[in-house]
Amino acid sequence: MLQRLALSLRLRPTPAPLSAAIRCVSSGSVDIKVPLNFWGGKNRRVKQASNHEPVYEPATGRVLCHLEPCGSVEVDQAVKDAQSAFSHWSKMSGMERARVMIEAARIIENSREEIAEMEVVNNGKSITEARFDVDSARLCIEYYAGLASTLAGQHVQLPGGSFAYTRREALGVCVGIGAWNYPFQIAAWKSAPALACGNSMVFKPSPVTPVTAVKLAEIYAKAGAPQGLFNVVQGGQETGSLLCHHPDVAKVSFTGSVPTGKKIMEMASKGVKPVTLELGGKSPLLIFQDSDLENAVKGALMANFLSQGQVCSNGTRVFVQRQILPEFLEKVVKRTQAIEIGDPLLESTRMGALVSRPHLDRVLGFVDQAKKEGATVLCGGELFVPSDPKLRNGYYMTPCVLGNCTDEMTCVKEEIFGPVMSVLSFETEEEVLLRANDSTLGLAAGVFTRDVKRAHRVVEHLKAGSCFINNYNITPVEVPFGGFKMSGIGRENGQVTIEYYSQLKTVFVEMGDVDSLF
């Protein structure tokens, strides 16, 4: 039986944890009153909040809660608490930090359904996908807990018995700025490597999906983390700017759009702060005539329709070799039309609601523009109104497949970030590689073929940071994820990410006398 979320502070002198308010969730039943800012180990209200911004439930279109954006006073306090926690956390051994992180992972595993339901309510994706997101978050924390005790430097022997060594040290207070498509998962992906290295974090979720990052903060606190180790401040552009400019912030990690990423990089540069940027994509998926067509069709669906198409790495430019194009289109359209749309909390639903009304209108606008430019709508691309009355104001559309696309069309060149697949044909490997790489973005790419030599040859020439052979949108936490070109800087996940959340100190040790020129 699903649980219900009923969060209220009216009779509580002290804010209750978000988790304490879980009862039974169903779409349209949720009322969140608990403050969604969290620092110093507690939920916090903004004392002088001048405006409370509405947050909507995508499945129903109703107001879910009101956001209290943080100003300079709140940001300063959150950073101060993070500094205090850092002074203690950074001195703990890797094994000691790992114990806290493993406990947090255990709590997440035990609270999987509860967290997934909250993610659905705030984001609109199906409960099936939300469970996988929670699993990814847990696995990420477990993975970096395992690495926490392995952080080490290097010993270098020098002439005359002297030597040098390196120390890998924490940065300090790190800022994480999340996106609305994977709220809980992104909060874990950013915090886990940061905490494993001995840092503390102030995290700002997207104002569209502010809820589940607070749940993660509560979990870290319950797991035994020092007060202030992981803090959540809510708000939009102003709050993000305060964090990026704050003199006591050592690093900024951001997931979101290219334009916003550029602004964050510029703001961080004023303090010469390192940044990790995971930005947009317009990724190519190449399907050769010798591929396993059933697998290729499934791969194309996974590359376009996960999370209602709201995935930065999606392979939305689907290049299909001309000889198999008709059969591919027949199969992909049939399967797309069979996708069940509706209440994201139902087990049978495979596509929930888009994240907001403005975003839904934007995606539908791309479909209209594609038709004007000569693309053929083979299926979908329309507003969808569920039969359930409580869902009729939700943000739903039918997944869309566009045929007769060309490289110059808007739907092929710009990131739509919705359930819209653009299908293009190609003749030769050389031709399709030139077209696939003709983009300022380079987050991901994929190829389907039975020819192993071709697969590796094509991947070698694809200008993208994350490439897939005979699959798509697989993101194990053990391997790095990130892009080339304007799709970002740095990596998330994998062992290499430790380097982005730590700094190297070199120590020279003289064992003899100083050989001075003076």
Side-chain angles (χ1 to χ4, degrees), residues 82-319:
Q83 281 184 298
S84 177
F86 169 73
S87 65
H88 174 64
W89 182 254
S90 61
K91 291 180 176 62
M92 292 169 63
S93 70
M95 286 292 287
E96 289 172 320
R97 294 197 295 268
R99 290 190 194 103
V100 174
M101 296 176 70
I102 288 293
E103 176 63 12
R106 186 194 66 79
I107 296 170
I108 290 172
E109 185 171 25
N110 291 340
S111 308
R112 181 187 190 229
E113 195 69 11
E114 172 189 313
I115 300 167
E117 289 170 3
M118 283 196 286
E119 194 81 326
V120 170
V121 168
N122 199 189
N123 171 273
K125 67 176 63 185
S126 73
I127 184 65
T128 302
E129 285 193 42
R131 291 185 185 118
F132 289 133
D133 295 352
V134 176
D135 291 343
S136 175
R138 171 182 58 80
L139 290 169
C140 184
I141 294 171
E142 287 178 350
Y143 175 76
Y144 284 106
L147 290 182
S149 63
T150 69
L151 304 184
Q154 182 183 19
H155 177 275
V156 179
Q157 189 65 48
L158 299 174
S162 297
F163 61 94
Y165 63 91
T166 58
R167 291 170 48 91
R168 186 160 294 282
E169 299 184 352
L171 298 171
V173 178
C174 297
V175 161
I177 301 178
W180 47 253
N181 55 342
Y182 287 89
F184 189 78
Q185 178 181 291
I186 289 175
W189 279 20
K190 293 190 184 302
S191 62
L195 301 191
C197 290
N199 304 291
S200 58
M201 177 166 277
V202 179
F203 186 81
K204 189 193 84 65
S206 165
V208 179
T209 53
V211 177
T212 48
V214 187
K215 176 63 178 173
L216 182 60
E218 294 176 356
I219 288 170
Y220 278 133
K222 187 176 180 181
Q227 290 186 0
L229 186 67
F230 181 79
N231 310 277
V232 177
V233 294
Q234 305 286 356
Q237 182 176 343
E238 181 181 349
T239 307
S241 178
L242 288 168
L243 288 167
C244 292
H245 283 118
H246 201 286
D248 296 324
V249 165
K251 176 199 170 68
V252 180
S253 177
F254 168 75
T255 298
S257 71
V258 173
T260 305
K262 289 180 179 180
K263 293 177 183 176
I264 284 174
M265 191 174 183
E266 180 182 1
M267 288 186 287
S269 71
K270 297 184 187 308
V272 198
K273 299 171 185 176
V275 295
T276 294
L277 302 176
E278 199 276 279
L279 308 179
K282 191 66 183 177
S283 302
L285 175 60
L286 283 51
I287 300 176
F288 287 89
Q289 63 177 332
D290 68 338
S291 64
D292 180 324
L293 194 57
E294 288 296 328
N295 266 337
V297 168
K298 290 189 288 186
L301 295 170
M302 291 292 286
N304 281 270
F305 299 141
L306 282 176
S307 292
Q308 299 75 251
Q310 301 165 143
V311 183
C312 54
S313 59
N314 270 0
T316 55
R317 293 186 291 147
V318 181
F319 293 92

Side-chain angles (χ1 to χ4, degrees), residues 446-479:
V447 55
F448 276 82
T449 178
R450 285 190 173 99
D451 187 332
V452 176
K453 291 182 179 179
R454 170 189 280 155
H456 291 286
R457 183 173 64 242
V458 167
V459 163
E460 179 185 355
H461 289 93
L462 286 169
K463 306 302 181 185
S466 299
C467 293
F468 305 91
I469 296 176
N470 293 331
N471 210 329
Y472 206 91
N473 270 339
I474 305 300
T475 54
V477 299
E478 300 94 332
V479 297

